[in-house]
């Protein structure tokens, strides 16, 4: 007998029929003799609908009240899911996040889980019940309801799997697994049999929406075996695991991309040791998230500093910097919108030189200008103009032979 955590995303529970068919999946695992914990999202697009409901009342709703509102979406699903299991003849009980013992830091809208007191869940599992838990929510130490950030039900599922020492965490969704790149943009995109935690973490952070980045972090830290799979098609999904059983030795395993990138450049910064720390401390203090940073410094001259932000942060970044212009001492600010970031990811890069060079060559051949570059051990990101984004992804997908299983082994 094992313990399985199953998570069903919004589209997989988007209607009563879909809830019933998801409940059958849970019942199947139970009938195999497993203990089953189910984590669900809000039905369909109901979280978005709640967000727009709030905006018809207030242009800047309180974050605490937003959490109170948004968490109702998942509460609808847990109760219906539990009823569906009753109809199938199973004992089932639903819990909100806080009832399930999910404690978070005291932050509204994007809280981290700090502790899980799984006693209630354990007791119900021992009582032979299937336990249904509302994803995306918890409570802080004062009992205020919090949310884990959009897409956070994945994190609830993986965190519970870790706390309960589950044998497996299955993420059921509307795609059949993790693809080499987004199949809605690149028709040759291929489903991966397996991917490592580190690669998945990079891809999730670089814009692949299939999994919440924090869920992958949890899975890696607690070595939770994860599978992303379809809630409708009966086929294997993608396993996310350490290195061992990797299907193939691809150097590049996936390509992620995101638009809405803006570059901000400060010109004429005096060459002071404290420059960088001053600029980025001000931005951080005001909650502006910065991504790629490039500084060019010539001795004896003023320097220039460029960084990227998500376009939604542009106004905030400009306000912060302009208000500190005197203190920071720069001459002028420029910004360039309509940029995109295209990233290639693969653990094989660590031991294979020349991957970045090949990426640059491919983009040059396509006539695509690279505006900024950033690298880590297992990824290379290039900032290009938005209009070149899909072309860049297609060219790289082709050049690194991602549509052919195992083809790029060298
Ligand atoms: N319902 C929440 C959202 O739409 C959480 C989730 O689905 O993971 O973001
Ligand atoms: Mg999701």
């Amino acid at each position: 007998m094992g313990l399985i955590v199953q998570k069903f995303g919004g589209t997989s529970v988007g209607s009563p029929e879909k809830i019933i068919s998801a409940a059958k999946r849970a019942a199947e695992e139970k009938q195999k003799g497993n203990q089953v914990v189910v984590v669900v999202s809000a039905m369909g697009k109901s979280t978005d609908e709640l967000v727009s409901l709030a905006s018809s009342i207030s242009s800047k709703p309180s974050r605490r009240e937003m959490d109170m509102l948004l968490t109702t979406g998942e509460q609808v699903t847990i109760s219906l899911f539990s009823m569906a299991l009753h109809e199938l003849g199973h004992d089932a009980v639903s819990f909100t996040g806080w009832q399930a013992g999910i404690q978070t830091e005291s932050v509204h809208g994007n809280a981290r889980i700090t502790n899980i007191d799984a006693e209630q869940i354990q007791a119900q599992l021992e009582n032979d019940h299937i336990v249904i838990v509302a994803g995306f929510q918890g409570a802080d130490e004062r009992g205020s309801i919090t949310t884990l950030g959009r897409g956070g039900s994945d994190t609830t599922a993986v965190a519970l799997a870790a706390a309960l020492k589950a044998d497996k965490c299955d993420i059921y969704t509307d795609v059949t697994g993790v693809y080499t790149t987004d199949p809605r943009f690149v028709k040759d995109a291929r489903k991966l049999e397996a991917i490592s935690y580190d690669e998945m973490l990079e891809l999730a952070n670089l814009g692949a929406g299939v999994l919440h980045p924090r869920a992958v972090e949890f899975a890696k830290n607690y070595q939770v075996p994860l599978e992303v799979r379809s809630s409708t098609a009966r086929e294997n999904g993608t396993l996310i695991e350490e290195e061992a059983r990797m299907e193939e030795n691809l150097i590049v395993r996936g390509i992620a991309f995101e638009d809405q990138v803006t570059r901000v450049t400060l010109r004429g910064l005096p060459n002071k040791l404290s420059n960088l720390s001053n600029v980025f401390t001000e931005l951080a203090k005001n909650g502006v998230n910065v991504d790629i940073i490039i500084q060019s410094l010539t001795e004896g001259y003023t320097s220039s500093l460029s960084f990227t932000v998500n376009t939604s942060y542009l106004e905030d970044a400009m306000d912060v910097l302009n208000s500190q212009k005197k203190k920071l001492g720069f001459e002028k600010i420029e910004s360039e919108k309509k940029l995109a970031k295209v990233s290639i990811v693969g653990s094989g890069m660590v031991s294979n030189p020349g991957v970045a060079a090949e990426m640059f060559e491919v983009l040059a051949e396509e006539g695509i200008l690279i505006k900024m570059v950033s690298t880590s051990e297992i990824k290379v990101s290039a900032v290009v103009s938005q209009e070149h984004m899909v072309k860049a992804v297609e060219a790289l997908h082709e050049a690194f032979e991602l549509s052919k299983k195992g083809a790029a082994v060298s």
Side-chain angles (χ1 to χ4, degrees):
M1 191 178 78
L3 199 166
I4 314 274
V5 175
Q6 300 182 317
K7 182 258 171 178
F8 293 93
T11 40
S12 308
V13 291
S15 65
E17 296 72 33
K18 288 185 170 176
I19 290 178
I20 293 166
S21 84
K24 285 183 181 156
R25 284 258 167 144
E28 262 173 47
E29 288 294 354
K30 183 78 175 67
Q31 267 149 2
K32 284 186 209 157
N34 294 306
Q35 294 183 318
V36 181
V37 174
V38 178
V39 173
V40 287
S41 292
M43 292 174 68
K45 297 253 167 276
S46 58
T47 309
D48 292 334
E49 284 156 20
L50 291 168
V51 170
S52 81
L53 196 57
S55 66
S56 59
I57 301 269
S58 165
S59 61
K60 212 166 185 287
S62 132
R63 285 173 174 270
R64 179 189 184 281
E65 301 311 331
M66 274 313 275
D67 280 355
M68 193 61 100
L69 177 68
L70 296 192
T71 49
T72 61
E74 272 70 15
Q75 197 168 331
V76 171
T77 324
I78 50 171
S79 48
L80 295 174
F81 203 105
S82 187
M83 291 174 203
L85 281 166
H86 297 162
E87 289 296 320
L88 294 169
H90 285 272
D91 289 329
V93 58
S94 67
F95 290 130
T96 62
W98 62 269
Q99 287 177 319
I102 297 173
Q103 292 153 20
T104 73
E105 55 184 9
S106 198
V107 169
H108 288 291
N110 199 17
R112 287 173 182 271
I113 295 175
T114 48
N115 187 36
I116 295 184
D117 175 1
E119 217 173 287
Q120 279 258 53
I121 298 182
Q122 293 280 18
Q124 291 297 340
L125 289 174
E126 271 150 41
N127 207 6
D128 220 25
H129 279 54
I130 297 176
V131 177
I132 327 296
V133 180
F136 170 61
Q137 54 178 264
D140 69 9
E141 59 201 0
R142 285 169 311 178
S144 283
I145 291 178
T146 55
T147 59
L148 310 181
R150 295 301 305 268
S153 294
D154 293 337
T155 302
T156 306
V158 180
L160 279 176
L164 295 163
K165 301 198 170 44
D167 296 286
K168 198 167 174 226
C169 182
D170 284 328
I171 307 280
Y172 286 95
T173 175
D174 55 348
V175 290
T176 52
V178 178
Y179 280 68
T180 50
T181 192
D182 191 333
R184 288 171 299 181
F185 290 85
V186 179
K187 65 173 187 345
D188 285 343
R190 179 176 60 86
K191 184 175 81 181
L192 293 161
E193 282 170 27
I195 185 168
S196 72
Y197 293 126
D198 288 329
E199 291 168 327
M200 191 64 234
L201 193 56
E202 288 277 14
L203 287 173
N205 277 319
L206 291 165
V210 65
L211 275 178
H212 198 233
R214 274 189 205 153
V216 187
E217 242 172 73
F218 258 105
K220 177 179 163 60
N221 290 345
Y222 295 93
Q223 299 285 303
V224 178
L226 266 188
E227 182 171 345
V228 173
R229 56 194 308 182
S230 163
S231 57
T232 50
R234 295 274 170 174
E235 55 181 87
N236 289 339
T238 302
L239 290 170
I240 301 157
E241 53 195 4
E242 210 45 66
E243 282 339 288
R245 287 181 293 146
M246 291 288 112
E247 59 172 311
E248 66 229 28
N249 261 332
L250 286 179
I251 294 170
V252 175
R253 197 170 314 268
I255 304 178
F257 50 94
E258 57 185 314
D259 53 10
Q260 305 307 320
V261 174
T262 289
R263 172 167 66 176
V264 176
T265 302
L266 297 181
R267 296 211 185 274
L269 264 176
N271 281 334
K272 276 198 307 205
L273 274 178
S274 55
N275 256 346
L276 282 181
S277 77
N278 286 343
V279 170
F280 293 109
T281 305
E282 287 303 329
L283 291 167
K285 270 203 307 210
N286 289 279
V288 176
N289 234 327
V290 170
D291 186 16
I292 302 175
I293 300 171
I294 292 179
Q295 180 189 223
S296 66
L297 201 140
T298 319
E299 211 160 330
Y301 295 88
T302 56
S303 58
S304 75
L305 175 64
S306 295
F307 58 87
T308 60
V309 290
N310 183 289
T311 305
S312 64
Y313 282 113
L314 176 61
E315 233 178 283
D316 287 355
M318 291 302 232
D319 287 350
V320 172
L321 293 172
N322 276 320
S323 72
Q324 300 290 323
K325 187 165 188 225
K326 239 203 188 125
K327 179 176 157 200
L328 299 171
F330 59 87
E331 275 157 29
K332 62 174 177 177
I333 309 189
E334 290 160 9
S335 68
E336 184 179 3
K337 288 199 243 180
K338 294 207 162 53
L339 299 177
K341 184 168 75 170
V342 173
S343 310
I344 56 174
V345 172
S347 327
M349 283 183 205
V350 179
S351 47
N352 283 280
V355 181
E358 187 172 349
M359 178 183 195
F360 303 151
E361 203 178 301
V362 170
L363 296 181
E365 271 165 19
E366 294 291 322
I368 297 174
L369 182 69
I370 300 173
K371 303 193 177 228
M372 293 172 103
V373 172
S374 104
T375 64
S376 79
E377 272 194 319
I378 64 164
K379 73 125 204 245
V380 185
S381 299
V383 173
V384 300
S385 79
Q386 238 172 45
E387 58 178 9
H388 288 146
M389 179 180 78
V390 174
K391 190 168 142 192
V393 176
E394 280 171 346
L396 292 166
H397 198 270
E398 164 104 39
F400 287 104
E401 301 187 302
L402 285 181
S403 58
K404 292 188 216 152
K405 187 175 162 183
V409 182
S410 65

